[in-house]
Amino acid sequence: MKSFQVTDFNAPLKEVDQPTPQPSGTQVLIKVKAAGVCHSDLHIWEGGYELGHGRKPLSLKDRGVSLPRTMGHETVGEIVAFGPDVKDSDKGGLKVGTVALAYPWLGCGKCPTCLADDENMCAIKPNAIGVYCDGGYADHMTVPHPKYLIDLKGLDPVTAAPYACSGVTTYSALKKVAKDFDTPIVIFGAGGLGLMALSLLKAMGGKGAIVVDIDARKREAAEKAGALATVDGKAPDALQQLAQKAGGPIRAVIDLVGNAQTTQLGFDCLTKGGKLIIVGLFGGGATFALPLIPIKAVTIQGSYVGNLRETRELLDLVRTKNIPPIPVTPMPLARANDALLDLQKGKLVGRAVLTP
């Protein structure tokens, strides 16, 4: 099999040829058909996250991410083989030849959190595919158990791959502010996640969203995707624009960027009792005044991807509501480095998807 691996942080991915793995135990071997290139991959490639306030960056090496590592956590593949311990009752209708989305956010599988189907929140031994174990920047990949594979049932592999991260991440974040869907919400970031959030918000019954982004091309893409309005986050009157375009109190903000500027503007635009959901990992330190948190009675909540149940709910929603996919740019696996650099430089609208 061929893969592209991080062998040194901040160094070009290395093309590696090695024997195709044979599935053992309950593993499933899939032939990769599509692998999304996510902004989280940039953090893995760069080796950490900026924490701001002069703190030492959060090192992924210190968090157990070892090299070499094949990235790729938004993966669709065709089932090639099941391990010898997979029972028919484990397969859930899957068979050789089924094209399925791989749920990547795995944990230890044994702790109370994992047993409650919240493996993405496992604190014992996070084991996410493409982060702690090898992922989809390859032509083959193993999945630990058939339960982590979701039959696409006719959905296009290339446009469906991002549902494993940008899809379930935004779906889970939107569920956290569902009680405020009767008023416009504010979404920071019009990249792959922002465009995904717009399409899901409509399908989930939301009134709509005002989208904030500093890139004019991305704001245009958001408007085409159905944003009620857009705002340039760098505009000196961005806060006033948000208030005007919302036409009333803003009760919910989803920040898909997560830097000091976006969280500050998101906090400032909220009314009393509002909710700020922080999803993005661009990094930095919070700048809002602490006394204003109780004075405004604001809730600040982090949202980390989503669980397997939510991923299944999401794919059902996509099919029943016929949700249009976000824009994708298919790229050959051999251009994995180019895809990362394009993402780093902000050249992409939507998602780059590697197609081995």
Side-chain angles (χ1 to χ4, degrees), residues 35-39 74 155-171 174 187 189-202 218 221-222 224-226 256 314-315 318 322-330 343 348-353:
V37 179
C38 177
H39 202 278
E74 295 184 342
L155 292 176
D156 177 64
V158 174
T159 57
Y163 292 131
C165 181
S166 65
V168 72
T169 296
T170 51
Y171 177 70
L174 285 165
I187 294 173
L193 272 76
L195 299 181
M196 184 75 75
L198 284 170
S199 61
L200 294 179
L201 176 61
K202 182 178 179 180
K218 292 180 179 178
K224 288 180 179 177
L256 302 171
L314 170 62
L315 289 188
V318 169
N322 198 25
I323 297 174
I326 64 169
V328 297
T329 303
L343 182 59
L348 293 170
V349 173
R351 229 356 162 236
V353 178

Side-chain angles (χ1 to χ4, degrees), residues 26 28 82 86 90-92 94 101 103 106 109 114-115 117 119 143-150 308 312:
T26 61
V28 184
F82 293 95
V86 176
D90 295 329
K91 295 179 181 179
L94 299 173
L101 180 76
Y103 175 76
L106 311 184
C114 288
L115 294 176
D117 289 333
E119 286 197 54
V143 178
H145 192 280
K147 71 178 181 180
Y148 301 119
L149 290 167
I150 306 170
L308 177 58
R312 293 185 182 279

Side-chain angles (χ1 to χ4, degrees), residues 62-64 106-115 118-128 132:
D62 292 345
R63 295 189 70 199
L106 311 184
C108 70
K110 299 175 182 177
C111 69
T113 299
C114 288
L115 294 176
D118 288 319
E119 286 197 54
N120 58 305
M121 302 298 288
C122 179
I124 304 298
K125 189 180 183 298
N127 201 32
Y132 295 96

Side-chain angles (χ1 to χ4, degrees), residues 262-327:
T262 57
T263 53
Q264 180 68 63
L265 184 55
F267 181 88
D268 288 344
C269 77
L270 281 172
T271 189
K272 281 195 170 185
K275 198 170 193 179
L276 170 62
I277 305 294
I278 301 175
V279 177
L281 295 165
F282 268 71
T287 55
F288 35 75
L290 295 179
L292 292 180
I293 298 175
I295 289 171
K296 294 179 70 172
V298 165
T299 298
I300 300 170
Q301 182 176 357
S303 187
Y304 180 67
V305 296
N307 60 33
L308 177 58
R309 180 181 63 257
E310 288 172 324
T311 310
R312 293 185 182 279
E313 291 173 4
L314 170 62
L315 289 188
D316 287 342
L317 182 69
V318 169
R319 277 188 289 264
T320 56
K321 297 288 188 177
N322 198 25
I323 297 174
I326 64 169

Side-chain angles (χ1 to χ4, degrees), residues 240-259:
Q240 290 76 18
Q241 286 190 49
L242 280 169
Q244 179 187 8
K245 293 179 179 183
I250 296 170
R251 302 205 304 257
V253 171
I254 296 178
D255 185 355
L256 302 171
V257 179
N259 65 24

Side-chain angles (χ1 to χ4, degrees), residues 21-32 72-84 86 90 94 98-106 119 127-130 133-136 140-150 164 308 312:
Q22 298 303 305
S24 60
T26 61
Q27 290 180 332
V28 184
L29 177 67
I30 62 174
K31 183 177 182 181
V32 176
H73 52 263
E74 295 184 342
T75 310
V76 169
E78 179 181 341
I79 295 175
V80 175
F82 293 95
V86 176
D90 295 329
L94 299 173
T98 299
V99 177
L101 180 76
Y103 175 76
W105 307 111
L106 311 184
E119 286 197 54
N127 201 32
I129 296 173
C133 57
D134 288 337
H140 288 79
M141 186 181 92
T142 56
V143 178
H145 192 280
K147 71 178 181 180
Y148 301 119
L149 290 167
I150 306 170
L308 177 58
R312 293 185 182 279

